[in-house]
Amino acid sequence: MAHHYSNSLYDRLADRLNQFPQGAPLSDSLFAILKILFSEKEAGLVAQLPIKPFTVDRAAAIWKLDKATAQNMLEDLAGRAMLLDMEQNGQQMFCLPPPMAGFFEFSMMRVRGDVNQKALAELYYQYLNVEEDFVKALFVENGTPLGRIFVQEAALPQDGKLEVLDYERASHIIKTASHIGVSMCYCRHKMQHLGRACDAPMDICMTFNTSARSLIKYGHARQVDAAECLDLLAVAQGHNLVQFGENAREGVNFICNCCGCCCEALLAIKRFAIARTIHSNFIARAGNDCRGCGKCEKVCPVNAIHMEDGPAGKRFAFVDPERCIGCGVCVRSCAFGQLTLEARPERHHPPQYREPRGRHGRRTGHDQGTSRRQRRDGQSSDHGGGHRGDHEASRRAEGARRGAAQIPLSGKPHRQNGMTEAKAPKGQRAMLCEPSPAGLFFFMVARGIGSTAQALDAGWPRSPARRGFFDNPGYTLLHSAAFGTSS
């Protein structure tokens, strides 16, 4: 349901959320969610916070409050999991997470008495499972995916012929994490309030590293060691749950243990009948001696397998490659060894750190003067009564984000403003596949970098394809939106 823009503090908060590349489509459901999670005063304050992590001093300056008051407000928001409290170089920093994977989930990762979780569950269901804009942007549309599937290692061939990299193994993420937290599954908790939950384990949602540290600190996750987490991983796989985690090679912040009946990512695949952006680097294949028992069809979490009739009435399993996510659940369930995993024709290499993906409703940077609400209401960019101050800056940043989203983030070479991506040397793969404004922008945000010189020092490649890149108007627009400067 569309929401009429009113320039309230909640509208300004929604503008701030839409500075994230995934965004949050406006609807009455979204604003009802925000009103449960944030007071009106908090909405106005959070709407002013930067994209990149910030200090207490920075927040105090933005809010024009003394440091002690700002500290208390930030820690109260982090205590309710609306902000993440992290440490960088020994200094306390805060960050506003996106709605997903972020504060939507955090609000349901433990039983709480300070918010109406039943009302939240109903609103989340409406916003994600009935309305479709948000979930399509997250899980279905092209772009750098929010998450990826971790293959179940026990389902892999044991002959060693199939290459499996460390970052493709959930066990590796667990063993190398600096912090590990376990919480209640947001998806099944949401469905529990609606009377739709299954009997899969509830306290099995895994967070790691920066996110785990903050959630543990404020009681939203229980701290566990790697051994206990590996035991929980085995429990999840024993219940045929799918491991869906952050799409990054390093610093992975979450792995969800997903069922096909409650969990957002798998429901999206079933709802839209495609696994274009959510899968592992493997795909299931049925053998020629399939017995036709149908067990794999029943356990597949995304309805990627169905039984067909062959010669002489013999039934056999058919794996739909457009739906298969390569999780390995079917392989582990086949008692006759007639399902195997094999490598996909094209291997997906996640970014070293997650780059937020392009999203719905894209437009070019040249159109940033017209907001989404103005376009929806049939207004031009110079329609009378333009918004000022923070809202105007937010609109400019939204235009910058959409301008970046217009540039593809796939691993394929392309031209942008006369530049073509150079191939990486043999045996190597560039951390960022494209010399795009969006690529550099998120490279800088992930490291808290505020200048192009620092970006080059931090490893942004100095290839011929990037000569003159910093003069690219798309990059300048993004940099200005994030850092308040055009150089």
Side-chain angles (χ1 to χ4, degrees):
M1 182 185 300
H3 170 80
H4 179 69
Y5 186 77
S6 64
N7 199 25
S8 71
L9 295 178
Y10 289 107
D11 284 287
R12 295 189 182 196
L13 176 57
D15 280 337
R16 170 61 183 82
L17 298 179
N18 275 296
Q19 291 180 33
F20 291 115
Q22 70 183 55
L26 301 186
S27 80
D28 288 343
S29 302
L30 173 65
F31 283 86
I33 290 167
L34 296 180
K35 287 176 182 179
I36 291 177
L37 296 177
F38 299 91
S39 70
E40 188 171 14
K41 178 182 178 181
E42 289 169 343
L45 293 173
V46 172
Q48 301 174 55
L49 294 176
I51 293 175
K52 62 179 182 177
F54 54 89
T55 62
V56 176
D57 288 334
R58 176 69 175 141
I62 292 170
W63 291 344
K64 296 179 173 59
L65 297 172
D66 63 84
K67 182 176 179 178
T69 302
Q71 177 97 34
N72 289 337
M73 298 191 73
L74 291 170
E75 291 187 349
D76 179 65
L77 287 164
R80 290 165 22 223
M82 298 298 101
L83 297 180
L84 289 177
D85 177 347
M86 62 188 72
E87 184 178 302
Q88 289 185 1
N89 300 319
Q91 186 176 29
Q92 185 182 32
M93 308 283 285
F94 292 88
C95 181
L96 174 65
M100 290 188 78
F103 66 81
F104 278 12
E105 288 99 328
F106 299 161
S107 68
M108 301 289 288
M109 285 171 59
R110 71 176 186 187
V111 175
R112 296 170 56 177
D114 60 325
V115 294
N116 187 338
Q117 289 184 308
K118 178 173 173 52
L120 267 180
E122 292 169 350
L123 288 165
Y124 287 148
Y125 185 82
Q126 174 66 29
Y127 190 54
L128 281 87
N129 302 108
V130 177
E131 301 168 24
E132 65 178 33
D133 286 350
F134 187 43
V135 74
K136 281 181 71 175
L138 282 176
F139 299 123
V140 178
E141 294 176 353
N142 285 320
T144 302
L146 167 74
R148 58 191 171 97
I149 301 299
F150 288 83
V151 64
Q152 296 195 4
E153 295 161 49
L156 293 167
Q158 301 302 304
D159 55 14
K161 294 181 179 179
L162 197 60
E163 180 185 27
V164 186
L165 303 177
D166 281 345
Y167 63 74
E168 295 173 315
R169 300 176 184 270
S171 61
H172 175 75
I173 303 303
I174 293 169
K175 292 173 183 177
T176 57
S178 62
H179 299 79
I180 306 174
V182 173
S183 304
M184 181 178 288
C185 172
Y186 148 85
C187 298
R188 286 188 284 280
H189 187 196
K190 178 192 76 173
M191 290 299 197
Q192 186 181 66
H193 283 288
L194 300 172
R196 297 168 179 253
C198 63
D199 59 358
M202 186 75 82
D203 295 317
I204 206 161
C205 184
M206 301 170 180
T207 51
F208 306 99
N209 303 311
T210 300
S211 293
R213 179 186 179 277
S214 184
L215 295 173
I216 291 167
K217 179 177 179 178
Y218 293 99
H220 292 273
R222 177 176 65 87
Q223 186 167 13
V224 301
D225 60 18
E228 182 176 354
C229 195
L230 289 170
D231 287 343
L232 288 171
L233 179 65
V235 170
Q237 293 177 348
H239 282 79
N240 291 328
L241 301 181
V242 174
Q243 285 66 61
F244 170 73
E246 186 175 20
N247 187 35
R249 275 179 275 172
E250 298 179 13
V252 169
N253 279 283
F254 71 89
I255 292 180
C256 301
N257 291 289
C258 300
C259 58
C261 52
C262 301
C263 294
E264 310 294 5
L266 304 189
L267 286 173
I269 293 173
K270 292 198 291 186
R271 182 177 179 182
F272 301 108
I274 194 164
R276 183 189 300 126
T277 62
I278 307 172
H279 54 71
S280 74
N281 280 323
F282 309 95
I283 192 166
R285 182 183 183 89
N288 294 328
D289 295 326
C290 174
R291 308 294 179 87
C293 68
K295 185 176 181 181
C296 56
E297 181 181 32
K298 294 176 183 177
V299 301
C300 178
V302 292
N303 300 338
I305 301 177
H306 62 270
M307 307 307 294
E308 293 190 352
D309 292 328
K314 180 183 177 182
R315 287 168 56 79
F316 65 94
F318 172 79
V319 180
D320 184 347
E322 286 292 305
R323 284 181 179 244
C324 178
I325 57 177
C327 61
V329 167
C330 61
V331 175
R332 296 178 72 243
S333 299
C334 182
F336 306 105
Q338 288 302 302
L339 281 160
T340 56
L341 288 173
E342 57 186 36
R344 289 181 183 269
E346 294 185 9
R347 194 179 201 109
H348 164 69
H349 293 269
Q352 186 169 354
Y353 301 94
R354 182 165 67 88
E355 297 173 35
R357 60 191 296 282
R359 57 172 292 245
H360 60 280
R362 296 169 182 166
R363 61 189 175 124
T364 66
H366 298 292
D367 189 34
Q368 76 271 13
T370 306
S371 74
R372 177 173 37 173
R373 286 160 211 80
Q374 289 172 322
R375 291 198 313 281
R376 186 193 64 221
D377 297 332
Q379 301 173 15
S380 66
S381 60
D382 59 353
H383 190 78
H387 308 301
R388 294 174 291 181
D390 294 331
H391 176 57
E392 186 66 29
S394 178
R395 289 204 306 119
R396 287 196 300 270
E398 183 180 357
R401 171 183 55 70
R402 287 176 177 249
Q406 194 73 2
I407 301 169
L409 290 175
S410 68
K412 298 179 180 180
H414 76 290
R415 287 194 168 271
Q416 167 62 23
N417 287 355
M419 296 180 295
T420 303
E421 170 69 353
K423 293 182 179 180
K426 186 175 182 180
Q428 299 181 21
R429 184 176 179 86
M431 190 190 76
L432 296 169
C433 296
E434 310 250 1
S436 67
L440 176 59
F441 173 63
F442 292 114
F443 180 90
M444 294 171 71
V445 170
R447 291 156 179 77
I449 292 170
S451 74
T452 55
Q454 290 174 330
L456 291 170
D457 290 342
W460 177 256
R462 299 172 180 264
S463 74
R466 291 170 172 80
R467 288 176 185 166
F469 174 76
F470 298 122
D471 295 326
N472 183 314
Y475 162 71
T476 303
L477 183 63
L478 273 168
H479 191 285
S480 178
F483 302 107
T485 176
S486 59
S487 62

